[in-house]
Every structure is written in structure tokens, then in C-alpha cells.
Amino acid sequence: EDKVVQSPLSLVVHEGDTVTLNCSYEVTNFRSLLWYKQEKKAPTFLFMLTSSGIEKKSGRLSSILDKKELFSILNITATQTGDSAVYLCALIQGAQKLVFGQGTRLTINP
Amino acid sequence: GAVVSQHPSRVICKSGTSVKIECRSLDFQATTMFWYRQFPKQSLMLMATSNEGSKATYEQGVEKDKFLINHASLTLSTLTVTSAHPEDSSFYICSARKSWLAGGWEGTDTQYFGPGTRLTVL
């Protein structure tokens, strides 16, 4: 059965800290891995990763995929209170369905 | 751009009534749309995949006669919760993926989410 496991499930840090969120997976027909940020409403798209070892970057956020070890990380540097959210990792299989992890609830305290 | 809208954003209804939720891709054509539900503090669960001009594909355990999906155009899919009961109360979210012509390889894999509809059945 296809599986996406995120860790930690919950993380509380101070503003300015750097955080690393993890996503490991088991999937039979991997196509892409996506990261989303969910605040009070629906998820907003952050990154899509298809190839191993190529870092994607957007401002203070970056992400990389390791297809050999079957995991991805999402880094956020110099965190701000506005980064507080649930971060979701999802896989696209061959059937083009998204399989979501449980999410990491990130809280940034001022 | 890739903007997806949902309407209504919130609905409260009595048990036994039917509720229709619309999902629209505003600035791109979406050959495929997806419907999810999310319970508090849980992740998104895929309910069904909606393909323009054909029948929806439902996930295991989702009653197709209860959750009617219509994808009549490249920019609109609707989910109708028929004879709603309190246990149907949830956050319903749609997503859309671009057609190959609009998005290419990467574009068709990325799903863009609507803002969600919170359904409360009394």
C-alpha cells in the first residue's frame, strides 16, 4: 500500500530559527512529490519535485528529493510567525492521484 | 496563474436536504478535478476524481449515489451531497490540474486547490 509519512507531526520554534520538515514515502509508481502549506483554508502549492538531488528554492523555503532513500525535506530559514501552518507532503502516483502525508503542524512563536 | 474557486465557502443545512458545491478553475482549463474531504486535524482524503465529459471515479468506501459529481465543462465541476446527514459535516476541498496544453508535464502533475467549503448538517 502506498504510504507517505511526515515527521515531526508537530514542531514549535522561535521566530528566526531554521526548521527542517521530513517526508518519507513508499509508493509503487512514483511520479512527483509535492509540498503544500495549509493555513486555515485549503492548501497552497509550494514545490513540485520530480528529480533527485535538485534543490528547489523560493525565498526562505527550499526543498530537495532523494529518490534512492525515498524521502524529501522542506527547509525554512529565518522563520517568521506567518510561516505557522500545517505543511503537507503529497505524492503523485502513476494514476495521478495525490496521496497525502499526515502533515506537520509548525508553530512559530515570536 | 492557477486560481481555483469554490462556492459556497460555508453552508449550513438541515438533515435530509441536498447541497451542491461548485468548483471552478478561473484562469486555466482543467481536464481533471479532484474532490477531497478533510476532518479536523486530519489530512485530506480523496473522495473522487472528476474527468470532463465522463463519469467520476470514486475511491473505495465513497458512495457514488450520495456524492454526485458532474464535470460538465473544462472549468467547472460540481459535488452534490444528497440527503445530507450530520456525519457528512466536513470541509470539502476541490483541486484542479491543468490540461497538457496549458501546463505541460509539470503543470499536469500539480494540483491547485480551491479555498474549501465547510458543510455543517444539523
Side-chain angles (χ1 to χ4, degrees):
Chain A
E1 186 183 322
D2 297 335
K3 199 163 61 172
V4 179
V5 177
Q6 290 185 245
S7 64
L9 294 180
S10 181
L11 184 59
V12 181
V13 300
H14 289 294
E15 205 167 19
D17 289 351
T18 292
V19 297
T20 299
L21 310 183
N22 302 292
C23 174
S24 63
Y25 62 90
E26 295 173 22
V27 67
T28 50
N29 202 358
F30 177 89
R31 280 175 59 123
S32 306
L33 184 146
L34 290 84
W35 283 96
Y36 287 90
K37 176 183 181 183
Q38 185 174 26
E39 296 174 86
K40 290 182 181 173
K41 292 195 171 180
T44 52
F45 172 73
L46 294 176
F47 298 110
M48 187 179 86
L49 304 160
T50 307
S51 303
S52 234
I54 299 175
E55 186 183 50
K56 292 223 172 171
K57 212 167 161 58
S58 175
R60 296 177 293 103
L61 278 68
S62 63
S63 184
I64 197 161
L65 173 68
D66 184 331
K67 286 165 78 171
K68 186 180 172 188
E69 299 297 328
L70 307 183
F71 79 92
S72 173
I73 58 172
L74 174 69
N75 274 323
I76 309 175
T77 58
T79 51
Q80 301 170 359
T81 54
D83 296 327
S84 295
V86 174
Y87 289 83
L88 296 166
C89 169
L91 283 183
I92 293 194
Q93 325 157 283
Q96 298 180 337
K97 296 192 298 188
L98 279 180
V99 179
F100 280 91
Q102 325 92 298
T104 294
R105 184 172 296 275
L106 177 64
T107 305
I108 311 294
N109 288 327
Chain B
V3 181
V4 177
S5 72
Q6 268 184 255
H7 178 80
S9 57
R10 189 176 187 103
V11 58
I12 301 172
C13 69
K14 290 184 180 177
S15 190
T17 59
S18 292
V19 174
K20 182 189 273 190
I21 303 170
E22 290 187 352
C23 176
R24 291 182 187 271
S25 55
L26 297 185
D27 53 359
F28 66 98
Q29 291 186 333
T31 49
T32 306
M33 290 183 171
F34 302 85
W35 287 96
Y36 297 83
R37 65 190 295 182
Q38 186 176 34
F39 291 106
K41 298 195 177 179
Q42 293 188 25
S43 196
L44 284 78
M45 296 296 295
L46 179 66
M47 297 174 66
T49 302
S50 168
N51 291 300
E52 185 264 338
S54 64
K55 286 186 181 178
T57 305
Y58 290 82
E59 294 301 297
Q60 199 170 8
V62 177
E63 297 173 59
K64 61 181 179 183
D65 294 330
K66 180 164 186 63
F67 298 99
L68 300 178
I69 290 171
N70 186 301
H71 193 154
S73 79
L74 285 172
T75 58
L76 173 64
S77 175
T78 60
L79 168 70
T80 302
V81 183
T82 61
S83 188
H85 287 100
E87 58 265 28
D88 298 323
S89 298
S90 188
F91 191 50
Y92 291 87
I93 310 173
C94 74
S95 71
R97 47 183 283 266
K98 294 181 177 181
S99 65
W100 173 261
L101 282 175
W105 170 253
E106 281 206 357
T108 52
D109 268 3
T110 304
Q111 289 184 25
Y112 300 93
F113 286 85
T117 296
R118 185 159 302 283
L119 170 63
T120 303
V121 185
L122 302 175

